[in-house]
Structure formats: structure tokens, C-alpha cells
């Protein structure tokens, strides 16, 4: 355990003390044991000691005599024919007749004492190490340690403030969330201000948003800003194999948190325990018990004890309403995917950690990485740095970052995947088909780059489009155009090769999704007007939907979706047919170079336009 290293130093004095005590004990025992030895002596020595009145007590058995002197040494001698034995003993003043216990076999004796010592050692070690752990827990320098004690052992980690703690300034682009959370920070700083006026602060706040948007970071930043301990646990850690264990963990966690108040408890993935309790047959007793325990713990403490609970989830709709009622997680803080400015800020925050060239244009990178989460952006910066190292450079350049955007979005280049020439040609036409349809529709965003280098994500090539500015709304025409663009790849294949391939599956999926959303959610058809036929059930995780209409309507929806896609597919084909010359030219360029940038694309497009115009005028 890497994090345990600092306390090794603290254990060294204890180990030394142990060794010294152990040594001294053994010397003492050894001496004692030497004294306890029985010395075998001759009968003459025995008689001499009687004469000198040195024997204190003696015990005569049928074969030998055991006797002690005044100093407590024990002797042993054989029994002889000696009729005056008792008389002489009596005269010498020795006691006899009482039995003298023969000292134990020295080896056995030593083994037993050694065993006892080891046992003692273990007990003392346990006591000391437990004390030590407690001390480390109080030590503000320590980053983390596993909590112990109670039934639910190892419940979570305590992060006590550490030197490299997270602050609000480290979390970029989530200004609203920071605003909402700063009130909690203020409260943890100066609770009196709030109690004076009689205000109770929310006990809990729920951070809601897609994965990787910085929810954990924000919770840590609250702890960092308020300078309080931070208990972190994942919801799934509560759910144990045995019923009741999770509830015990919850109790344990709250008990420890209250001892450390003011502090922050952070429960990640709270949906793991906080799912709606329902009456379906497949109930999960353990989860329900854990949730009940959590609810009652949250009710159990007063608002002003200084324990603030933050929880994160990307499935808010699945949470039990009981969790969301006032007095529990009554604050809901949205942590959305960053917008353009947010992405630029996040890139800058992470770029501070690496050595980066001064003329890197973060805006372009942020535009290219549209829709990326904070975690992905952090990854982009890191991938860029790794690439610079791989290529033996000392600073990260713009193109490193641009390449890593592709890596993060489309996966690594697949070096060992060789396309046959025919395949390469098909992929070239397919990708140019998309781009050309996009370019010919004025409202579509221009192409930035097309490549036909296979990626680990499975894409054999792709067209990267960057929207000039951030869009929040899409018009019906734009969606239609997008569907046409998506069909462009397949349309090009049909037009040129008179054959179709499996390469369009992803396009088909996306086009269908868009067309479906037009019909069922965006109210963009005359037939259904403004009626929702579908509801989004999983807003932050891919946006799954569930149908909310009659079976007949479903059939109708399906027909309409097919109709929309069919129309746009035909339109894409038409556009390509009109520009087949350009399609050939650009595809040839792409086939030969494997990559084509937006400018090159536009150059060929414009110049070929001229040739076409010239050609047509010649006719
Ligand atoms: P979540 O809990 O929402 O899934 P995390 O907080 O664990 O996401 O974020 C993962 C990583 O992504 C962070 O460690 C950080 O490096 C990066 N990150 C995410 N959002 C941001 C942001 N807004 N600002 C800076 N870095 C971010």
C-alpha cells in the first residue's frame, strides 16, 4: 500500500523497543533456567553437604535423592545402602519427607516460555498498531486510510485535507454548480452566521450529470475549500452479499462522520442504493435495507451538526422519491457537459500540468472536441503529452492535441489493420460522400478532416465536422440535412460501385435515431403535432427512450421514420449525382493520401467546380 509509507517511520521506534525488551526477557529467562538446572552429584558430595549442614531439604525416592541447598539449587544423587541416612539428615537440620518437585526438562521449559513471549508480543503489537492507526487518522498530513471498527469494516476512506487538495479553481467550466456549492462551503466555514439567523442548511446536495463531468471533483473541491475532512464512498460498496451488512456500513459511516464534524460525506453512484423501491417481485432486500438506513440516518441528525452529504448520480430519474424530499437531498445541482468556453477552460486547467507550446490554440481544440466531457478533455491533454514524449519532443504542440482529440473520439490508429485496395477505395468514396453532401447543403457545418486510417473504435475512416459556434437548437431543416449527410456515405457507394457494404451501420443507427426523435419527441410531423410518443428515460447515459403510445401508433411511427430517412437518402444520392466529378476527385485525393484536411477539401471542391463549369461551358 503506497499510501501507508509515511507511517513506516513511526513504527521503527516501536520495533526497536520490542527487540530490546525481547532480548532482556530472554537473558533473564536463560539465567533463571540455568539456575533451575538439577546438578547430578556423587553420594560423597551429598554426605559432605550433610556434614557441613548445607542441605535445606531433601526428598528420598526409591531410586534417587533430590535435595536443595539454602540458595535454592537442586541436586540429585543415586540412592545407596545407607542405614543411617535419615539420622544424619535429621542431625544436619534438613527437612525431609516432603516431596521436592523435580525441575522440568530444560528444553521443554524454554520452549514454553518462548511461546508465551511470542504470544505476548503479538498482543502488544496489535494494541500498539491500533493506537498508531488512530494517531495517523488524526494526522492532517495523511492522505487516506481505511476506516475500521464496528461491524462494517473498511467502510470508506477518509480524505483529510492534504497538500495537493482540490479547489474550485481546479474545476473549470461548472460555474453554476460552483455557485450553488459555495454556499455549503460558507456554511462549513462559519456555521454561526447561519445558526444565528435560524437558518438550517440543506443536509444534502445531489450532483446530477453525465459521467466524467467533474462531480467527484466538485465534491472534493467543497471539502478542499472548506478545509474539512472528506469521506468518500461509492454506492455500490454498500450493497453486500449479506442482508444487513450495507445498513451496518451506513451506520458506521455516519458515526465516524459525526465524530469528525464538520465534514463532508460523498456518496458516488448513489443510484446503486437509491433506486426506487417498488413492489416488483425481484426486490433486493439488501439494497432496500441499506436505503432505509441511509434515509433514517439523514433524518437522524440535525441540520446544524456540520455533516454535509453530497451524492453523485447520472441516473437521477431512477432515484427513490424519498431520497429527494426536502430535508434529505433537497438540492439538486446539475453538472452538465461543458460548453465551448467550459471546454477551453478545462483544457487550460489541465494544460497547466504539462509543458505546452505557447502558440497552442485551445479554441480550435475545444471546437473539435465538441461534446467531450471534462474527463475526456483531461484525457486529450494527457494523450497529447504522451504523444510528444513518444516523438521525443520537449513541449506539447497543437498537432499533438489535435491528434489526441481523434484518439479520444475515434480510438487509436490501428496499425495492423490493413485494408485491401478495394476496401480503401470504398471507404474513401464513403467518407467523401458524407463530406460532400454536408458541404453542398449550406446549413451543414464544413468538414475539418477526413481520414481513412482504421481506428481501434472499429471505424474504418471518419469525417470530422466542427461547428463554428455552439448550437443549442436545431431546426427541422438542419436535422433533415444531417440525416442526408449521414446517408451520404451509403449513397456514394451505391452511385459509384453499384453495390452496398456493411460500413454504413453506424450512420444508419444515427440517422434512425434522429428521424425517430423528430417524429416522437420533437413534434416535427403534421400527423402527431405536439404529442410526445416517447419519453427519455436515461438522459445522461446515452438517452435511452421508452415508447408511450398504442401499438398502432408505433407502426405508424415506424413508417414515418422510414419515410424520412428514405427521402433524405434519395436527396443525398441526388446531390452526389450532381457532383459526381468532385466526388471522384476528392475521393482520389483521399485514397492516395489517406487524410484530407478541410482546406484541401474546399480547394478541390472549388477548383473542380471551376473545371466543371468550364467543362459545361465548353459543351
Ligand atoms: P464524475 O464524478 O462526474 O464522473 P470526475 O469528477 O471523477 O467525474 O472527473 C474525472 C476527471 O475528469 C477528473 O479527475 C478531472 O481530471 C477531469 N475533469 C472532469 N470535469 C472537469 C472539470 N470541470 N474541470 C477540470 N477537470 C475535470
Amino acid at each position: 500500500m503506497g499510501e501507508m509509507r509515511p507511517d513506516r517511520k513511526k513504527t521503527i521506534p516501536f520495533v526497536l523497543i520490542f527487540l530490546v525488551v525481547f532480548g532482556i526477557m530472554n537473558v533473564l529467562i536463560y539465567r533463571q533456567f540455568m539456575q533451575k538446572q538439577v546438578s547430578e552429584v556423587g553420594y560423597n558430595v551429598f554426605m559432605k553437604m550433610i556434614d557441613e549442614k548445607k542441605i535445606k531439604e531433601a526428598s528420598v525416592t526409591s531410586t534417587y535423592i533430590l535435595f536443595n541447598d539454602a540458595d535454592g539449587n537442586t541436586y540429585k544423587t543415586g540412592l545407596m545402602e545407607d542405614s543411617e541416612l535419615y539420622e544424619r539428615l535429621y542431625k544436619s537440620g534438613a527437612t525431609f519427607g516432603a516431596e521436592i518437585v523435580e525441575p522440568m526438562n530444560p528444553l521443554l521449559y524454554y520452549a514454553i516460555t518462548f511461546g508465551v513471549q511470542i504470544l505476548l508480543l503479538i498482543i502488544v503489537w496489535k494494541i500498539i498498531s491500533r493506537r498508531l492507526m488512530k494517531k495517523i487518522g488524526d494526522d492532517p498530513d495523511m492522505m487516506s486510510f481505511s476506516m475500521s471498527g464496528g461491524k462494517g469494516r473498511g467502510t470508506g476512506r477518509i480524505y483529510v485535507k492534504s497538500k495537493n487538495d482540490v479547489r474550485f479553481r481546479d474545476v473549470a467550466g461548472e460555474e453554476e454548480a460552483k455557485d450553488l456549492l459555495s454556499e455549503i462551503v460558507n456554511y462549513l466555514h462559519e456555521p454561526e452566521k447561519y445558526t444565528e439567523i435560524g437558518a438550517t442548511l440543506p443536509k444534502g446536495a445531489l450532483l446530477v450529470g453525465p459521467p466524467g463531468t467533474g462531480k467527484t471533483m466538485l465534491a472534493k473541491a467543497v471539502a478542499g475549500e472548506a478545509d474539512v475532512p472528506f469521506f468518500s464512498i461509492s454506492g455500490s460498496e454498500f450493497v453486500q452479499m449479506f442482508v444487513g451488512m450495507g445498513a451496518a456500513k451506513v451506520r458506521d459511516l455516519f458515526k465516524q462522520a459525526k465524530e469528525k464534524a464538520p465534514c463532508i460525506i460523498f456518496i458516488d453512484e448513489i443510484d446503486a442504493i437509491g433506486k426506487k423501491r417498488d413492489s416488483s417481485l425481484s426486490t433486493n432486500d439488501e439494497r432496500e435495507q441499506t436505503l432505509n438506513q441511509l434515509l433514517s440516518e439523514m433524518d437522524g441528525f440535525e441540520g446544524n451538526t456540520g455533516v454535509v452529504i453530497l451524492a453523485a448520480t447520472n441516473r437521477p430519474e431512477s432515484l427513490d422519491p424519498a431520497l429527494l424530499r426536502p430535508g434529505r437531498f433537497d438540492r439538486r445541482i446539475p453538472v452538465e457537459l461543458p460548453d465551448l468556453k467550459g471546454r477551453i477552460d478545462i483544457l487550460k486547467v489541465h494544460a497547466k500540468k504539462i509543458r505546452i507550446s505557447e502558440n497552442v490554440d485551445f479554441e480550435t481544440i475545444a471546437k473539435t472536441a465538441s461534446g467531450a466531457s471534462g474527463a475526456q478533455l483531461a484525457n486529450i491533454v494527457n494523450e497529447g503529452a504522451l504523444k510528444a514524449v513518444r516523438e521525443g519532443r520537449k513541449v506539447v504542440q497543437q498537432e499533438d492535441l489535435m491528434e489526441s482529440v481523434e484518439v479520444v473520439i475515434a480510438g487509436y490508429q490501428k496499425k495492423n489493420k490493413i485494408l485491401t485496395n478495394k476496401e480503401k477505395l470504398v471507404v474513401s468514396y464513403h467518407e467523401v460522400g458524407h463530406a460532400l453532401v454536408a458541404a453542398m447543403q449550406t446549413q451543414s457545418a464544413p468538414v475539418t478532416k477526413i481520414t481513412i486510417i482504421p481506428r481501434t473504435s472499429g471505424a474504418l475512416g471518419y469525417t470530422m465536422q466542427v461547428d463554428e459556434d455552439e448550437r443549442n437548437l436545431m431546426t427541422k431543416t438542419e436535422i433533415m440535412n444531417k440525416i442526408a449527410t449521414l446517408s451520404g456515405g451509403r449513397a456514394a457507394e451505391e452511385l459509384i460501385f453499384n453495390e452496398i457494404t456493411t460500413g454504413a451501420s453506424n450512420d444508419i443507427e444515427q440517422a434512425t435515431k434522429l428521424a425517430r426523435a423528430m417524429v416522437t419527441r420533437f413534434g416535427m410531423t403534421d400527423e402527431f403535432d405536439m404529442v410526445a410518443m416517447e419519453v427519455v428515460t436515461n438522459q445522461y447515459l446515452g438517452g435511452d427512450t421508452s415508447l408511450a403510445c398504442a401499438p398502432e401508433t408505433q407502426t405508424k411511427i415506424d413508417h414515418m421514420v422510414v419515410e424520412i430517412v428514405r427521402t433524405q437518402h434519395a436527396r443525398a444520392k441526388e446531390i452526389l449525382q450532381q457532383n459526381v466529378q468532385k466526388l471522384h476527385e476528392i475521393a482520389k485525393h483521399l485514397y492516395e493520401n489517406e487524410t484530407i484536411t478541410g482546406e484541401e477539401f474546399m480547394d478541390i471542391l472549388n477548383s473542380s467546380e471551376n473545371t466543371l463549369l468550364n467543362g459545361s461551358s465548353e459543351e
Side-chain angles (χ1 to χ4, degrees), residues 240-251:
Q240 304 276 318
M241 180 141 79
F242 301 108
V243 174
M245 288 288 280
K249 274 194 168 188
V250 173
R251 263 198 304 278

Side-chain angles (χ1 to χ4, degrees), residues 168-174 178 207 209-220 266 268-269 312 314 335-336 338 342 345-347 349-350 353 373-379:
F168 275 153
R169 61 166 181 270
D170 301 315
V171 189
E174 298 292 349
K178 279 193 258 181
L207 299 160
T213 42
K215 297 183 289 296
T216 312
M217 251 189 129
L218 276 166
K220 277 187 191 162
F266 176 62
D268 205 357
E269 314 283 352
N314 31 41
V335 188
E336 298 285 348
D345 290 343
I346 294 173
L347 283 171
V349 162
H350 288 279
K353 299 178 199 153
S373 68
Q376 276 173 324
L377 292 166
N379 194 9

Side-chain angles (χ1 to χ4, degrees), residues 6 210 239 255 306 330 409 432 505 528 572 598 600 607:
V239 183
K255 193 168 142 261
D330 38 9
I409 293 172
V432 175
S505 61
F528 293 141
E600 287 170 331
S607 70

Side-chain angles (χ1 to χ4, degrees), residues 508-538:
I508 292 172
E509 206 179 302
Q510 285 190 47
T512 314
K513 230 183 193 164
L514 276 175
R516 208 175 176 82
M518 278 178 80
V519 179
T520 60
R521 284 169 38 220
F522 301 148
M524 287 181 174
T525 54
D526 294 335
E527 175 112 22
F528 293 141
D529 203 52
M530 282 184 58
V531 177
M533 298 295 169
E534 253 178 11
V535 281
V536 176
T537 51
N538 221 339

